[in-house]
Structure formats: structure tokens, C-alpha cells
Amino acid sequence: MAKAATKKLSTKALAEKKDRDRRMAWWHEARFGMFVHLGLYSLLGRHEWVQNNEGIPNDEYALLAKKFKPKPGAPREWAKLAKRAGMKYMVLTTKHHEGYCLWDTATTEFDAVKTGPKRDLIAEYVEACRAEGMKVGLYFSLMDWKHPDGYRCVKSEAARKRFVAYTHEQVRELMANYGQIDILWYDGDYPLEADKWESVKLNKMVRKLQPDIIINNRSRVPEDYKTPEEEITFDDDGRAWEACMMFNGSWGWSDTADEEWLTARDVVKMLRKCVYGGGNLLLNIGPKP
């Protein structure tokens, strides 16, 4: 009986590996992608953690949404830039830790369609990626400073259930409403563990909606690839990896002196090191608001 169970598990593992190899073939060939951090923090220009770092109350911070009006056509400019740079895919922040959603969500009024630009910025971004031949990646923060249960979920089971249902529904919308999505890039797994986020259930739903999608490891389960941040590290464990790197010391837009930007030579060195180690480079830009 034990031998049969072991054989069955081994067969399942082989099938999973075969499917992962199929889904990730383009990703391994791509090697180079563009990370884009855009949100209300872009208006302040003091890094994407500005609300947390400066203790800005939610009600005060939320007023920024009225001023947030990115110009139409900006995502097409990013995609054209990515293409010229030799990048093959892009990843945009659909919602960072601040909780502001760049898409038309039914879960909250705190989004770009109901406030600010009054446009679905994710729809514009997806269209731009496809127009320039870029694979489409969506970043999603599990952590949410705006949601009242975002911290209560640690001590209250009722709050956890509400918050997890809210989070899962937002991911479902992103996976269901924009056609094929190539990458789901989770972030901000604080303050829950994988079982409390119900990450396995969440990702099963994602794969049902997007059978060819690639998922990173930041929902606290391994999934398809590792994501070292601000460092290029690789080992021989056989797992795929991608280094996400800043261009100027900030993910969100920050007014940066010319000498503090990475040079073209710096970027080429990073890309060369990633490729040498069998990984990818996801290089960030922080557009102005």
C-alpha cells in the first residue's frame, strides 16, 4: 500500500513539473521584464511606503485619490519603452499596500474608476501590453492598509474570513475580466500565514481561470518561481528565480538626482548576472502620477 501511494505521488509530481515547464518556457527565454509601480504614493513622490513611513491616517491619505489622474496613453508609452529595451513582459501594480485599486472592482469604492481618473487603468495597461507584444503581468498586494480588517484579521477569525473573502474576490476579478493574464505577482503577505490566507485555495481558483498563468512565491507557497528583491542571488536548487531591482532607490516615483540613477552599464551588468545564473531581471520604473 505504501509503495502504491509513493508511486502515485511521484506521478503527480512529474505531471506538475511537465505542466510547469510548458507554462514557463516563454518566461525562461524572455529573461528581461519591466516592473511598474503606480499608485497614490506617486503623487507624494516619497516612496511607495510613504503612508506607513509617515503615519498618514487613512482618511487623509484617501483624499489623494481625487488628484490622481494619469494621462491617457501612458501605458502604451511604457510598453513601447519596454519593447525598445528588449524586455518581453511587464508587471504593473494593480493594488499596492495602500489598498487603492487601479481597476473597476465591485469590492470597494476606493478605485480608479470611482475616484481620480474615472478610468480602468488595468484595462488600458493590458491593451497596451498586447499592442506591443508584451506578456501581461499583474502585481497584487495581499496586505491592505485601507481595509478595516487588514490588521484585525490577526486576532479575529471573523475579521480574517471577511478580509480573505475580500482579497480572493479581488484576485478573481483580475483573473476573470481582462482576458489572458500571463503572470500573477503577489506581494505583501503580512500579516497572515499561507493557511490563513488560504493561498492554496486561492491559487487553485486562479489556475482554473488562467490555466497558463505563472505565479510567484509571495502568497507563502512556492508556486512557480522565487523572487529575490534588490539582490541577485542564485543557487543550484533547480527552482526558477527572478530578481526584482530598483532603478533609483525607490519603487514608486521619487524625484531623484541624475547621479543617483543606475547607469546603462549598471543595468547591463545586472542582466548579464541574472542570465548567467539562469534567472530573470525585472527592472522597475516608477512613473510620475
Side-chain angles (χ1 to χ4, degrees), residues 98-114:
E98 64 187 7
Y100 186 69
C101 302
L102 300 191
W103 77 97
D104 187 11
T105 176
T107 62
T108 178
E109 298 292 305
F110 198 48
D111 74 33
V113 174
K114 303 178 188 72

Side-chain angles (χ1 to χ4, degrees), residues 1-222:
M1 191 72 179
K3 282 187 177 180
T6 302
K7 185 176 180 181
K8 184 176 181 181
L9 182 62
S10 177
T11 301
K12 179 182 177 183
L14 287 171
E16 289 176 350
K17 181 182 183 304
K18 184 177 180 180
D19 182 62
R20 179 173 291 117
D21 290 346
R22 175 191 65 80
R23 289 183 289 103
M24 296 194 68
W26 72 262
W27 187 88
H28 283 297
E29 292 179 2
R31 294 302 186 197
F32 196 20
M34 176 184 280
F35 213 179
V36 184
H37 275 65
L38 181 72
L40 300 185
Y41 46 84
S42 305
L43 287 155
L44 299 180
R46 299 193 296 275
H47 307 282
E48 68 290 338
W49 274 68
V50 60
Q51 182 185 6
N52 181 274
N53 292 343
E54 299 181 13
I56 304 173
N58 268 326
D59 290 347
E60 179 183 335
Y61 191 82
L63 296 176
L64 291 171
K66 296 179 180 179
K67 303 175 182 178
F68 183 63
K69 298 182 179 181
K71 68 178 183 181
R76 190 67 183 271
E77 293 179 20
W78 311 335
K80 287 179 179 292
L81 178 62
K83 187 175 183 178
R84 290 203 307 274
M87 294 163 164
K88 303 299 183 184
Y89 61 101
M90 298 173 65
V91 179
L92 170 67
T93 50
T94 65
K95 182 191 79 168
H96 206 266
H97 311 330
E98 64 187 7
Y100 186 69
C101 302
L102 300 191
W103 77 97
D104 187 11
T105 176
T107 62
T108 178
E109 298 292 305
F110 198 48
D111 74 33
V113 174
K114 303 178 188 72
T115 60
K118 302 294 180 70
R119 309 193 321 267
D120 188 325
L121 301 181
I122 298 305
E124 294 179 13
Y125 159 77
V126 171
E127 182 181 1
C129 285
R130 291 182 181 140
E132 296 301 325
M134 293 287 122
K135 294 287 188 178
V136 181
L138 300 182
Y139 164 112
F140 180 84
S141 172
L142 295 164
M143 179 164 57
D144 191 316
W145 298 330
K146 183 73 163 59
H147 196 286
D149 292 323
Y151 291 114
R152 290 195 302 229
C153 62
V154 177
K155 296 183 178 179
S156 166
E157 178 62 9
R160 186 197 71 81
K161 287 182 176 179
R162 288 193 300 267
F163 185 49
V164 168
Y166 172 86
T167 302
H168 283 216
E169 176 57 20
Q170 289 193 332
V171 174
R172 189 202 66 78
E173 289 177 341
L174 290 168
M175 296 298 104
N177 296 340
Y178 298 96
Q180 181 173 333
I181 303 299
D182 301 295
I183 299 170
L184 175 55
W185 214 101
Y186 288 118
D187 193 25
D189 56 17
Y190 180 85
L192 300 175
E193 298 295 332
D195 61 329
K196 298 298 184 180
W197 283 118
E198 301 179 27
S199 296
V200 172
K201 175 183 176 183
L202 173 61
N203 291 341
K204 185 176 181 179
M205 177 265 288
V206 168
R207 294 195 185 284
K208 185 175 181 180
L209 292 169
Q210 297 284 346
D212 296 324
I213 202 164
I214 296 169
I215 303 176
N216 76 350
N217 64 337
R218 295 196 181 193
S219 60
R220 299 211 175 191
V221 288

